[in-house]
Amino acid sequence: MAKVFKKTSGNGGLTLYLGKRDYVDNVNVVDKVDGVVKLDPKDFGDRKVFVQLACAFRYGSDDLDVMGLCFRKDIWLECFQLYPESHKPSMSTMHETLLKKAGDNAYAFTFDIPTNLPCSVSLQPGPDDKGKACGVDFEVKTYLAKEKSNPDEKIEKKDTARLIIRKIQYAPTQVGAGPKAEICKNFMMSDKPVQMEASLEKDLYFHGEAIPIKIKVKNESNKTVKKFKITVDQTTDIVLYCADKYTKTVLNKEFGETVESNGTFESTLSITPMLSDNKEKRGLALDGRLKDEDTNLASTTMLRQGVEKEVLGILVSYKIKINLIVAGGGLLGGLTASDVTVELPLMLMHPKPDAE
């Protein structure tokens, strides 16, 4: 195994071991979280050792906690007692590797992440925001306590070891046919319409990959298409106490192509939505990050059919809008100008890495 991730508590009595930080959601099943905790029980007294996995929505910085305000809401939590031993998982290859690494007095644990939990997503902070970003995160934590979940018992920071992990999705191996949309629009003071058809080659693109949009225009009107404007919108659906949905534009590009009256146009225009062009946009959804590493625009959330109502957290989707800016002709000029717009759904994801 290339790397082991470990974290030791401040008191030195607990060391948490994980073999990876990224756990893949394959839509129908999620990778198991297999880990090990090494114990040095000399200072435990009558306290027990617990391990928990929590999926939480963070919506403020840690500073708020000082003022007595809760800054994270647990969406899902599972907790086991490790010592004295009561949780005995089936041993996996990962467990055996970690136990070898940890040495004596180490205990294995396993968590199954439900498929209806959101993936790790963070919301881009504004330039002046401090503290941790808002968003959904997963945390494995081992700690010392007298009871499993007594809200009145204070757990000291030094008696805790924790590691953030990520739940991620990769693009499916089978890519579907691309979407197609068309419109036929009539104008005031013009007998005949403008027709437009737009299509993508496939239904899914990778982050950073150029997206070619095939566009056909038949302009039978007496007006001129002055230019093409293409935007990509990210819609973030935050489902917690109540649904909150908002849309941010992550790409806005104009093309100078024109289509005269009674003319036609057929070509492919290419776009690439990137986080690097959107660094100042507060609240933009990004893929969850570990520490301060680079990330990218959030991947499209893929759900099992019928599960939409159950999912809490953050759901992300994209759409492309193709706009023809049409200039008014004749005596009324600009008064009869208008836009012709079609929309295409877009899925943005990462390719599945080659198996190591």
Side-chain angles (χ1 to χ4, degrees), residues 144 150-156 159:
L144 284 173
N150 178 358
D152 297 326
E153 183 177 3
K154 183 161 173 57
I155 296 160
E156 300 285 344
D159 297 330

Side-chain angles (χ1 to χ4, degrees), residues 80-311:
F80 299 119
Q81 181 181 312
L82 269 189
Y83 173 87
E85 192 170 34
S86 69
H87 168 71
K88 277 201 129 176
S90 326
M91 297 305 281
S92 65
T93 314
M94 177 70 81
H95 282 136
E96 287 163 10
T97 308
L98 293 173
L99 286 167
K100 219 175 274 180
K101 195 93 180 165
D104 297 337
N105 217 18
Y107 293 78
F109 63 85
T110 294
F111 288 106
D112 291 302
I113 302 177
T115 51
N116 66 337
L117 290 181
C119 287
S120 300
V121 174
S122 64
L123 300 180
Q124 181 162 271
D128 302 325
D129 293 346
K130 292 178 176 61
K132 292 181 182 172
C134 296
V136 171
D137 64 31
F138 288 79
E139 181 186 79
V140 181
K141 177 171 93 170
T142 182
Y143 61 94
L144 284 173
K146 290 185 177 180
E147 292 176 51
K148 184 174 178 179
S149 49
N150 178 358
D152 297 326
E153 183 177 3
K154 183 161 173 57
I155 296 160
E156 300 285 344
K157 207 170 182 179
K158 66 180 175 58
D159 297 330
T160 301
R162 56 183 77 201
L163 282 169
I164 294 286
I165 61 172
R166 286 190 296 199
K167 175 174 172 281
I168 55 178
Q169 287 181 327
Y170 291 123
T173 44
Q174 296 293 314
V175 175
K180 184 165 99 171
E182 48 195 311
I183 188 172
C184 179
K185 181 161 180 178
N186 288 291
F187 294 94
M188 196 165 74
M189 314 292 287
S190 177
D191 294 339
K192 293 192 172 173
V194 172
Q195 297 172 49
M196 171 168 58
E197 180 188 286
S199 60
L200 301 178
E201 291 171 356
K202 51 186 183 174
D203 65 347
L204 189 148
Y205 288 83
F206 300 142
H207 292 287
E209 181 183 6
I211 302 166
I213 307 166
K214 194 173 180 186
I215 300 173
K216 295 181 188 174
V217 178
K218 188 177 182 186
N219 181 8
E220 297 179 297
S221 73
N222 60 6
K223 305 187 182 304
T224 301
V225 175
K226 288 195 299 184
K227 59 185 174 184
F228 291 65
K229 182 178 167 187
I230 298 179
T231 56
V232 178
D233 288 343
Q234 179 195 76
T235 298
T236 304
D237 215 339
I238 299 178
V239 190
L240 268 176
Y241 308 109
C242 58
D244 184 15
K245 187 182 272 198
Y246 60 92
T247 297
K248 291 189 179 286
T249 299
V250 296
L251 180 138
N252 190 341
K253 193 171 178 183
E254 291 189 353
F255 297 84
E257 277 78 358
T258 59
V259 189
E260 297 298 331
S261 173
N262 294 311
T264 59
F265 171 90
E266 186 168 340
S267 186
T268 298
L269 302 178
S270 191
I271 57 167
T272 311
M274 300 284 282
L275 174 59
S276 53
D277 302 324
N278 293 278
K279 285 289 193 184
E280 299 300 306
K281 286 190 182 153
R282 188 172 194 241
L284 200 62
L286 315 177
D287 274 343
R289 66 177 92 191
L290 302 172
K291 293 203 172 154
D292 294 323
E293 64 180 29
D294 282 342
T295 184
N296 45 264
L297 294 170
S299 297
T300 302
T301 310
M302 296 192 75
L303 298 172
R304 281 182 299 128
Q305 276 191 316
V307 86
E308 294 91 336
K309 301 283 185 290
E310 300 171 34
V311 177

Side-chain angles (χ1 to χ4, degrees), residues 13-112:
L14 305 170
T15 304
L16 173 62
Y17 289 83
L18 293 175
K20 57 183 185 176
R21 305 284 291 271
D22 287 344
Y23 294 82
V24 180
D25 174 359
N26 297 298
V27 182
N28 290 317
V29 65
V30 187
D31 291 351
K32 286 178 184 294
V33 180
D34 289 342
V36 160
V37 179
K38 182 180 171 69
L39 312 180
D40 180 1
K42 65 175 186 292
D43 297 323
F44 288 3
D46 60 350
R47 294 176 298 173
K48 305 178 179 81
V49 177
F50 297 94
V51 63
Q52 75 172 35
L53 173 60
C55 169
F57 184 83
R58 177 184 293 282
Y59 46 94
S61 70
D62 294 11
D63 307 345
L64 290 176
D65 202 35
V66 180
M67 294 150 57
L69 298 169
C70 184
F71 60 91
R72 50 183 284 143
K73 152 87 176 159
D74 285 330
I75 296 170
W76 174 87
L77 185 145
E78 191 164 30
C79 183
F80 299 119
Q81 181 181 312
L82 269 189
Y83 173 87
E85 192 170 34
S86 69
H87 168 71
K88 277 201 129 176
S90 326
M91 297 305 281
S92 65
T93 314
M94 177 70 81
H95 282 136
E96 287 163 10
T97 308
L98 293 173
L99 286 167
K100 219 175 274 180
K101 195 93 180 165
D104 297 337
N105 217 18
Y107 293 78
F109 63 85
T110 294
F111 288 106
D112 291 302

